[in-house]
Amino acid sequence: MITKRIIPCLDVRDGRVVKGVNFEGLKDVSSPIELAAYYSDCGADELVFYDITASSEGRKLFVDILCETAKRVFIPLTVGGGINTVADFERVLSCGADKVSVNSGAIKNPALIGEAAKKYGDQCVVLSVDAKRVDGKYRVFAKGGREDTGLDAFEWIKRGVDSGAGEIVLNSIDTDGVKRGFDCEMLEAVTKIVNVPVIASGGAGSIDDFISLFNKVPDVDAGLAASVFHFGEVDIKELKRELDKNGINVRL
């Protein structure tokens, strides 16, 4: 049985971890370096680090903070934000990242997925997708959820995997920060059309939300969350104990 992963997410702006609701109203949380070290020590399976305004501000990711964060983390680290070229992959990997997450950069240049996969391997390329319901369909949004690309989310995800993406992080803008549960309908649809790991993001508000996610969408590989972990509403060790009690295979 595949072990389900629990992944905290650090959304970083101006060198600080921030969190909002539906991608808006961002509030300061903590230092990414300190928070990353804490999660590495308390049972998280992986960690995601997003420089959330790098793309919208047209700049490169903060490498100094990333390097310091990577030194403190002893679990797999995925990094994204401002990834537009294969050289950006190289820069982030050289800072200590294990995987690189691409979102807006791949939308601008879809060939980037295949180029990076060919050079570094599929397992290194994570396609991050911010999706939102528009007129009854799931659409892809770019630049931190600010820009409707017009792309159909399912078609884009399938194209990304066919191009070489080895993992999908699927974030629901509709449920992001709302804490009423993951978008299981969207996640189930995606797991049916791809054969790579799918990470659920957006909506976790309690331990029960994670239990519900893995029961309703058994093919989802991981649950990713931010604020419930950052603000101590869900303790990762306790979460894993409860998942184990409910017959969900996790690394304790």
Side-chain angles (χ1 to χ4, degrees):
M1 187 186 297
I2 295 174
T3 301
K4 303 300 185 184
R5 292 171 286 154
I6 300 300
I7 306 175
C9 178
L10 308 181
D11 292 322
V12 180
R13 182 183 69 175
D14 298 331
R16 298 284 294 177
V17 176
V18 295
K19 188 57 190 161
V21 176
N22 303 132
F23 283 32
E24 297 179 350
L26 298 176
K27 297 179 181 178
D28 183 85
V29 176
S30 182
S31 154
I33 300 166
E34 298 302 321
L35 204 52
Y38 167 76
Y39 288 133
S40 183
D41 292 339
C42 75
D45 296 297
E46 297 188 17
L47 193 65
V48 169
F49 178 113
Y50 287 139
D51 186 340
I52 60 171
T53 56
S55 290
S56 62
E57 293 173 2
R59 59 170 173 77
K60 295 187 182 297
L61 184 142
F62 292 122
V63 294
D64 52 345
I65 294 170
L66 173 56
C67 288
E68 286 303 312
T69 300
K71 289 176 186 175
R72 304 283 295 275
V73 172
F74 301 100
I75 52 178
L77 175 64
T78 298
V79 176
I83 306 298
N84 295 297
T85 65
V86 172
D88 291 329
F89 272 78
E90 177 68 33
R91 191 163 46 85
V92 169
L93 291 169
S94 67
C95 287
D98 299 281
K99 293 181 278 190
V100 181
S101 176
V102 62
N103 187 334
S104 297
I107 293 168
K108 288 183 289 186
N109 176 23
L112 175 61
I113 297 171
E115 291 168 3
K118 185 176 181 180
K119 185 167 185 178
Y120 301 109
D122 294 9
Q123 79 288 342
C124 183
V125 182
V126 179
L127 179 60
S128 179
V129 179
D130 296 326
K132 183 177 182 179
R133 285 178 179 84
V134 179
D135 297 327
K137 294 185 178 181
Y138 293 100
R139 291 251 278 272
V140 177
F141 278 67
K143 296 183 179 178
R146 297 172 182 83
E147 181 181 289
D148 184 351
T149 66
L151 291 169
D152 178 271
F154 299 159
E155 291 176 4
W156 174 241
I157 289 168
K158 185 71 166 62
R159 180 180 177 184
V161 171
D162 290 344
S163 297
E167 190 167 74
I168 301 295
V169 174
L170 182 55
N171 187 51
S172 169
I173 296 175
D174 295 315
T175 62
D176 179 77
V178 178
K179 300 182 182 178
R180 293 178 185 167
F182 293 92
D183 193 331
C184 291
E185 180 183 354
M186 178 174 68
L187 289 159
E188 184 175 19
V190 170
T191 61
K192 283 183 166 66
I193 62 172
V194 298
N195 59 356
V196 300
V198 175
I199 298 172
S201 173
S206 67
I207 287 175
D208 285 342
D209 288 335
F210 286 91
I211 295 171
S212 179
L213 166 68
F214 293 125
N215 282 330
K216 289 182 178 179
V217 194
D219 289 331
V220 154
D221 288 76
L224 180 149
S227 58
V228 290
F229 297 143
H230 298 342
F231 300 122
E233 297 164 56
V234 172
D235 176 81
I236 291 176
K237 290 181 179 177
E238 182 184 358
L239 167 60
K240 287 190 165 185
R241 285 193 294 268
E242 290 301 315
L243 289 170
D244 182 61
K245 285 180 187 176
N246 281 268
I248 298 163
N249 193 32
V250 292
R251 179 181 65 87
L252 294 173

